[in-house]
């Protein structure tokens, strides 16, 4: 439709005006006609049935509607303020309508002895039925309005309701906007796609989402608008991927040389799994092309991503380039450095570590050695992004746990060479497939979906506080066998003092139950000096202490194959993905490992689901799917990514099949007409260009 009509400020819509417009803008982010049309109902009420007062009973807990007349109106004083009471009859029986506020407006506007349709929830007290604050409409208007059997219920806020922007008033605004704009919504999809998927035409879809003529038309309208929303997101992501492969030149790594082959044939610490081999093949194929690689490598805790990352670096070295690995924390950067240096030393590869803690003298030497090419691999934190960090010839950039880095930060890595380096993004946080399609749809995805041989599945058990003595007995048995134990306490900012007290109380209790000299206990938490923290970690790694009591600082960055038991205190306070990450700290050796979830006795339903999921499966991807259903996409990815997920009608949990179909159709379209040049794709191209230009998925939708 003509964009200008849709962009009309909302205050110009008949019945709105400046005061209402101010509330709509502040509370519901409705600035234009288009914003109003894109305010979708979140549920629908069945308005097909009209009750008689005689049919009412105390068990009805849904909203109902009745046709009748007000025959009497009175104001009743009460201890606090007063109430307005109307006697309402359907011609046979009577009930009360009650208002506790807004009397003046109601008194002035209500008409006695005129037929009304009332709608609302009923109360039952002392044998009498009443309806507080009913929605009311003259029967004549009710018949004429666009109202349908399924009445939409729109999102609102407490403040918008207080300012008299009720569901009824939004419905009236919606009717008015359709009167002014109806039949002008421009179709964006080609006819063949509309016919193939039996998509409702755009005009009908918009009308039936707000004023559904039947349940079937509502379902078809929802499908059409969800499909369109997800289709354009996928088209944007996929075209970015295709454009990059065609337009963004990269270094072609054609050689598989001495570094890679020597390491693979002579120094591999354990045989690669089939999944690792498959992923390496995908990476090698990518990097052999003259286009920049952008690949996401997903793998559960302990799946062996680091060795795949290292061997990818060796491919860069074999082709005369340097490589770098960026991690979000110093602990993680240190862990990568120790693990990679150990492998690199065997084949004469020079690895350096650069973090915020690196001393100035050492830092200057690193800068010099990077430029002259004597450092082959640089590992570090955000410090790698500083302008002073210049490479002789950077060919590969690996980013670990990329959701912790902003887009701007990651793009700085591109500017470290004449052509952008190949990019491999690694994550140990399994991402549900639908979320990966929506967040990382522009990346090619590789998954390491099997654990190295010899690893026994971790046994996870849930114990209530009442069984603590049994748990302590079990710990003693494991220590007798020569194993080590983690005990982790939550640390949540708002209650840091309380958490610190719980941690210290726990430390004292464990020290009493496991006294010196027979047992030795370490403690690590965020308030310790980094040197003390490192020293305690080191003691545990060397096996000098039996038990490590810690906060979630050990979620990443500690690899102790001899630690076989992870006890998580107050497990109800952790999210599923965090519980899974903590569990991954054990199970790294050949012995049977255990994860014990300790909770209080009273648990919410969500918590019960989390505990059951942890005990049932070790599969991070399965856990991530459950987590997505419990928490929703925004919470899982955090605020940095939430902008991508502000979907207006689709739902990544409920609409997975529509998302898969939308992605499939977007791939088909780009294969047949990459630049959208065919005549039948022109409307789609205009909508897509508008979206790309404004970088906002909602600008095209109407």
């Amino acid at each position: 439709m003509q964009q200008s009509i849709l962009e009309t400020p909302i205050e110009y819509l008949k019945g709105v005006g400046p005061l209402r417009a101010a509330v709509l803008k502040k509370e519901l982010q409705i600035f234009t006609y288009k914003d109003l049309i894109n305010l979708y109902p979140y549920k629908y009420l069945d308005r097909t049935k009209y009750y008689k007062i005689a049919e009412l009973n105390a068990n009805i807990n849904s909203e109902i509607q009745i046709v009748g007349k007000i025959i009497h109106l009175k104001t009743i004083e009460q201890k606090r303020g007063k109430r307005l009471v109307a006697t309402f009859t359907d011609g046979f029986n009577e009930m009360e309508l009650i208002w506790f506020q807004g009397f003046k407006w109601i008194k002035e506007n209500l008409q006695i002895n005129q037929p009304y349709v009332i709608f609302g929830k009923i109360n039952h007290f002392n044998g009498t039925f009443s309806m507080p604050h009913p929605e009311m409409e003259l029967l004549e208007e009710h018949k004429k309005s666009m109202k349908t059997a399924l009445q939409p219920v729109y999102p609102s806020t407490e403040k918008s309701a207080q300012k008299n922007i009720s569901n009824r008033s939004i419905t009236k605004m919606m009717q008015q906007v359709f009167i002014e704009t109806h039949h002008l919504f421009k179709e964006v999809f080609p006819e063949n796609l509309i016919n193939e998927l039996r998509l409702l035409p755009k005009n009908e879809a918009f009308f039936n989402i707000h004023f559904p003529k039947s349940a079937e038309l509502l379902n078809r309208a929802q499908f059409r608008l969800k499909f369109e929303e997800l289709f354009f997101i996928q088209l944007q992501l996929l075209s970015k991927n295709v454009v990059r492969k065609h337009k963004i030149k990269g270094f072609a790594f054609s050689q598989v040389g001495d570094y890679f082959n020597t390491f693979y044939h002579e120094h591999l610490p354990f045989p690669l799994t089939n999944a690792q081999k498959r992923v390496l093949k995908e990476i090698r194929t990518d990097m052999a092309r003259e286009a920049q690689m952008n690949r996401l490598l997903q793998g559960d805790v302990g799946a062996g991503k680091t060795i795949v990352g290292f061997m990818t670096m060796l491919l860069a070295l074999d082709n005369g380039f340097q490589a770098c690995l960026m991690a979000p924390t110093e602990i993680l950067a240190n862990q990568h450095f120790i693990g990679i240096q150990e492998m690199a030393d065997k084949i004469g590869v020079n690895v350096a570590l650069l973090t915020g803690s690196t001393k100035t003298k050492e830092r200057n030497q690193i800068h010099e050695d990077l430029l002259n090419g004597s450092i082959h691999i640089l590992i570090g934190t955000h410090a790698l992004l500083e302008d002073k960090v210049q490479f002789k010839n950077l060919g590969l950039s690996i980013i670990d746990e990329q959701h912790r880095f902003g887009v701007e930060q990651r793009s700085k890595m591109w500017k470290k060479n004449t052509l952008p380096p190949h990019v491999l993004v690694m994550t140990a946080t399994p991402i549900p497939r639908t979320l990966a399609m929506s967040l990382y749809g522009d990346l090619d995805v590789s998954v390491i979906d099997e654990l190295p041989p010899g690893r026994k599945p971790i046994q996870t058990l849930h114990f209530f506080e009442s069984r603590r003595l049994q748990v302590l007995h079990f710990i003693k048995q494991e220590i007798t066998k020569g194993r080590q134990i983690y005990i982790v306490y939550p640390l949540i900012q708002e209650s840091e003092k309380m958490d610190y007290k719980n941690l210290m109380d726990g430390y004292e209790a464990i020290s009493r139950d496991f006294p010196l000299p027979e047992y030795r206990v370490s403690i690590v938490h965020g308030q310790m000096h980094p040197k003390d923290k490192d020293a305690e970690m080191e003691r545990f790694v060397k096996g000098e202490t039996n038990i490590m009591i810690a906060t979630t600082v050990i979620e990443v960055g500690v690899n102790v194959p001899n630690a076989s038991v992870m006890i998580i205190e107050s497990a109800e306070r952790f999210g599923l993905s965090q519980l899974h990450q903590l569990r991954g700290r054990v199970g790294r050796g050949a012995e049977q490992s255990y994860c014990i979830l300790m909770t209080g006795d009273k648990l919410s339903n969500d918590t019960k689901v989390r505990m059951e999921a942890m005990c049932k499966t070790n599969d991070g991807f399965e856990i991530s799917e459950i987590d997505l259903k419990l928490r929703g996409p925004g919470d899982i990815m955090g605020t940095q990514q939430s902008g991508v997920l502000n979907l207006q009608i689709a739902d990544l949990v409920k609409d997975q099949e529509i998302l898969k179909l939308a992605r499939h159709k977007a791939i088909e379209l780009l294969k047949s007409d990459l630049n959208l040049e065919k005549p039948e794709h022109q409307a789609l191209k205009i909508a897509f260009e508008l979206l790309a230009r404004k970088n906002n998925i909602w600008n095209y939708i109407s």
Side-chain angles (χ1 to χ4, degrees):
M1 76 173 292
Q2 292 175 351
Q3 197 64 19
S4 56
I5 298 174
L6 278 177
E7 296 298 345
T8 306
I10 197 66
E11 50 263 44
Y12 295 114
L13 185 71
K14 188 180 172 187
V16 176
L19 292 177
R20 273 187 155 183
V23 180
L24 289 171
K25 288 172 185 178
K26 189 176 179 188
E27 294 301 313
L28 298 170
Q29 281 68 57
I30 295 171
F31 297 89
T32 63
Y33 285 16
K34 179 180 67 183
D35 295 332
L36 180 62
I37 289 164
N38 284 331
L39 180 75
Y40 296 119
Y42 68 91
K43 69 175 182 178
Y44 297 84
L45 301 172
D46 185 357
R47 298 288 290 258
T48 53
K49 182 169 172 57
Y50 294 86
Y51 279 78
K52 292 285 181 193
I53 294 171
E55 294 177 294
L56 301 183
N57 67 71
N59 296 322
I60 297 173
N61 62 5
S62 60
E63 282 127 328
I64 61 159
Q65 59 189 355
I66 307 170
V67 180
K69 298 175 182 178
I70 290 174
I71 53 172
H72 183 61
L73 202 58
K74 63 181 176 182
T75 305
I76 297 175
E77 296 289 338
Q78 42 189 45
K79 280 184 183 175
R80 291 184 182 177
K82 51 191 173 182
R83 68 181 189 272
L84 183 66
V85 179
T87 305
F88 183 81
T89 178
D90 61 3
F92 300 98
N93 300 88
E94 293 179 359
M95 64 181 287
E96 290 183 339
L97 309 181
I98 303 171
W99 293 268
F100 297 96
Q101 54 196 36
F103 306 153
K104 188 172 181 287
W105 186 88
I106 294 161
K107 269 185 169 177
E108 285 171 8
N109 288 277
L110 280 183
Q111 298 178 34
I112 305 288
N113 287 319
Q114 286 296 316
Y116 275 100
V117 176
I118 64 165
F119 180 77
K121 280 198 168 185
I122 54 162
N123 286 341
H124 182 253
F125 183 68
N126 279 351
T128 307
F129 287 99
S130 64
M131 189 181 284
H133 288 270
E135 228 180 81
M136 299 190 66
E137 191 171 28
L138 285 165
L139 182 58
E140 204 176 325
E141 283 181 20
H142 182 75
K143 287 174 180 173
K144 281 194 293 191
S145 75
M146 288 184 197
K147 279 209 178 79
T148 56
L150 292 161
Q151 190 179 328
V153 181
Y154 292 98
S156 69
T157 66
E158 203 175 317
K159 282 189 180 168
S160 67
Q162 283 170 359
K163 301 279 184 183
N164 279 331
I165 294 184
S166 62
N167 196 64
R168 187 175 166 211
S169 54
I170 291 177
T171 306
K172 278 193 165 181
M173 289 177 210
M174 206 65 80
Q175 289 173 358
Q176 186 59 35
V177 86
F178 270 87
I179 289 165
E180 294 185 28
T181 61
H182 199 33
H183 294 306
L184 289 170
F185 299 110
K186 190 167 182 178
E187 187 55 75
V188 294
F189 286 136
E191 208 170 319
N192 65 329
L193 185 64
I194 290 171
N195 293 337
E196 183 195 343
L197 299 179
R198 286 187 65 246
L199 293 177
L200 212 55
K202 191 147 185 169
N203 282 320
E204 286 186 48
F206 269 122
F207 190 78
N208 279 283
I209 204 81
H210 293 292
F211 305 105
K213 291 176 182 171
S214 68
E216 192 217 342
L217 280 169
L218 172 60
N219 287 335
R220 289 185 64 196
Q222 288 173 326
F223 180 86
R224 156 72 206 234
L225 293 171
K226 287 175 178 184
F227 177 82
E228 184 169 333
E229 178 170 69
L230 295 168
F231 177 86
F232 272 90
I233 289 174
Q234 291 306 315
L235 195 63
Q236 189 180 35
L237 291 166
L238 290 161
S239 62
K240 265 169 76 179
N241 191 335
V242 172
V243 164
R244 186 173 52 237
K245 284 177 180 172
H246 282 80
K247 293 187 179 174
I248 301 178
K249 293 294 175 197
F251 305 110
F253 291 177
S254 53
Q255 297 291 315
V256 179
D258 289 345
Y259 284 125
F260 187 95
N261 285 323
T262 305
F263 180 76
Y264 183 70
H265 294 295
E266 295 174 26
H267 300 291
L268 209 56
F270 45 77
L272 296 181
T273 61
N274 289 329
Q276 287 171 312
K277 288 175 185 173
R278 184 189 69 242
V279 167
L280 270 169
K281 193 176 178 183
E282 289 165 354
I283 290 168
R284 277 173 58 178
T285 306
D286 263 6
M287 297 203 303
R289 299 190 185 109
E290 285 188 358
Q292 186 205 24
M293 172 178 82
N294 256 291
R295 190 166 279 279
L296 171 69
L297 174 57
Q298 288 196 74
D300 215 337
V301 181
K305 292 179 301 300
T306 307
I307 200 156
V308 168
F310 177 63
M311 291 175 80
T312 305
M313 291 173 170
L314 297 184
L315 286 171
L317 270 56
D318 277 336
N319 286 274
F321 290 90
Q322 294 161 297
C324 71
L325 187 156
M326 186 164 73
T329 63
E330 287 206 15
I331 287 178
L332 199 48
N334 271 299
Q335 185 192 325
H336 280 307
F337 175 68
I338 292 162
I340 285 172
Q341 188 181 42
E342 193 181 323
M343 295 186 285
D345 283 351
K346 292 170 183 171
I347 50 171
V349 167
N350 187 15
V351 186
L353 176 69
L354 181 65
T355 69
S357 304
T358 308
K359 300 280 189 291
T360 308
K361 188 179 176 186
E362 198 181 336
R363 190 180 289 264
N364 292 338
Q365 188 62 53
I366 287 171
H367 292 163
E368 194 181 311
D369 291 347
L370 275 178
L371 272 175
N372 66 34
S374 58
I375 289 177
H376 301 115
I377 295 171
L378 180 63
I379 293 168
T381 54
H382 297 76
L384 269 62
L385 300 172
E386 291 170 6
D387 292 337
K388 286 179 185 173
V389 180
Q390 295 296 323
F391 293 78
K392 182 183 181 185
N393 204 4
L394 179 66
L396 171 70
S397 174
I398 297 181
I399 300 168
D400 197 18
E401 298 300 346
Q402 86 129 22
H403 60 276
R404 303 198 196 182
F405 293 104
V407 175
E408 201 178 324
Q409 291 171 310
R410 297 195 302 270
S411 66
K412 283 187 179 180
M413 294 307 288
W414 280 37
K415 296 165 188 166
K416 301 280 185 185
N417 209 337
T418 48
L419 289 178
H422 293 296
V423 174
L424 183 67
V425 169
M426 299 199 305
T427 178
T429 309
I431 304 163
R433 190 158 171 249
T434 46
L435 212 50
M437 275 187 214
S438 303
L439 285 170
Y440 304 120
D442 58 328
L443 301 180
D444 297 305
V445 180
S446 290
V447 179
I448 302 178
D449 50 10
E450 62 181 301
L451 291 175
R455 291 270 177 99
K456 290 179 182 167
I458 301 162
Q459 205 175 325
T460 305
L461 306 158
H462 171 215
F463 285 98
F464 291 108
E465 186 59 43
S466 52
R467 295 179 67 187
R468 183 168 290 280
L469 286 175
Q470 198 178 333
V471 173
L472 293 175
H473 178 66
F474 175 69
I475 293 174
K476 283 178 179 167
Q477 285 180 319
E478 286 296 296
I479 292 174
T480 305
K481 292 180 194 168
R483 315 272 180 268
Q484 288 167 281
I485 319 291
Y486 291 110
I487 302 177
V488 176
Y489 284 81
L491 187 64
I492 298 166
Q493 287 307 116
E494 292 85 64
S495 57
E496 201 163 317
K497 282 180 183 167
M498 187 182 85
D499 284 328
Y500 181 68
K501 183 179 182 302
N502 287 347
L503 179 82
M504 297 316 291
D505 287 351
Y507 174 66
E508 284 170 19
I510 288 292
S511 298
R512 282 196 301 273
D513 288 320
F514 297 87
L516 288 163
E518 191 179 350
Y519 303 100
R520 293 174 305 285
V521 182
S522 280
I523 184 166
V524 171
H525 56 81
Q527 295 180 15
M528 290 171 75
H529 190 281
K531 278 186 181 173
D532 295 337
K533 199 190 298 180
D534 290 345
E536 285 293 288
M537 289 255 198
E538 192 61 29
R539 287 174 69 209
F540 190 67
V541 170
K542 286 179 177 171
E544 292 169 9
T545 54
N546 314 106
I547 299 171
M548 159 77 79
I549 292 180
T551 57
T552 48
V553 290
I554 59 107
E555 184 182 339
V556 290
V558 184
N559 184 14
V560 184
N562 191 47
S564 66
V565 181
M566 165 64 71
I567 293 169
I568 303 174
E569 296 286 350
S570 305
E572 65 268 35
R573 288 175 62 190
F574 292 90
L576 253 182
S577 60
Q578 204 175 21
L579 289 171
H580 181 64
Q581 289 284 324
L582 286 167
R583 173 168 64 184
R585 295 297 105 209
V586 296
R588 292 171 169 253
E591 306 303 328
Q592 177 62 57
S593 289
Y594 303 88
C595 175
I596 295 173
L597 309 170
M598 297 296 299
T599 69
D601 294 332
K602 288 182 181 176
L603 301 180
S604 69
N605 285 336
D606 273 8
T607 305
K608 284 175 188 166
V609 171
R610 291 206 305 274
M611 299 306 128
E612 283 164 15
M614 286 291 293
C615 294
K616 187 182 81 175
T617 181
N618 281 300
D619 183 336
F621 288 95
E622 197 179 326
I623 280 179
S624 73
E625 294 288 351
I626 297 165
D627 206 19
L628 179 65
K629 283 176 186 156
L630 287 175
R631 293 199 292 155
D635 286 340
I636 286 183
M637 297 315 295
T639 51
Q640 280 184 328
Q641 302 285 7
S642 62
V644 185
L645 298 165
N646 292 333
L647 298 174
Q648 293 204 339
I649 190 165
D651 182 309
L652 289 185
V653 178
K654 295 174 187 162
D655 301 320
Q656 297 193 14
E657 293 310 310
I658 303 176
L659 174 61
K660 288 172 195 170
L661 179 66
R663 187 170 177 84
H664 175 63
K665 290 298 167 191
I667 291 168
E668 270 185 8
L669 179 82
L670 290 172
K671 276 184 181 170
S672 69
D673 184 13
L674 177 59
N675 297 314
L676 305 180
E677 287 166 344
K678 292 180 182 177
E680 64 267 31
H681 294 153
Q682 288 317 292
L684 197 144
K685 184 178 184 177
I686 290 164
F688 183 55
E689 284 174 349
L690 184 65
L691 156 69
R693 191 162 65 243
K694 295 199 177 179
N695 198 26
N696 181 338
I697 196 73
W698 312 121
N699 287 295
Y700 76 88
I701 196 127
S702 300

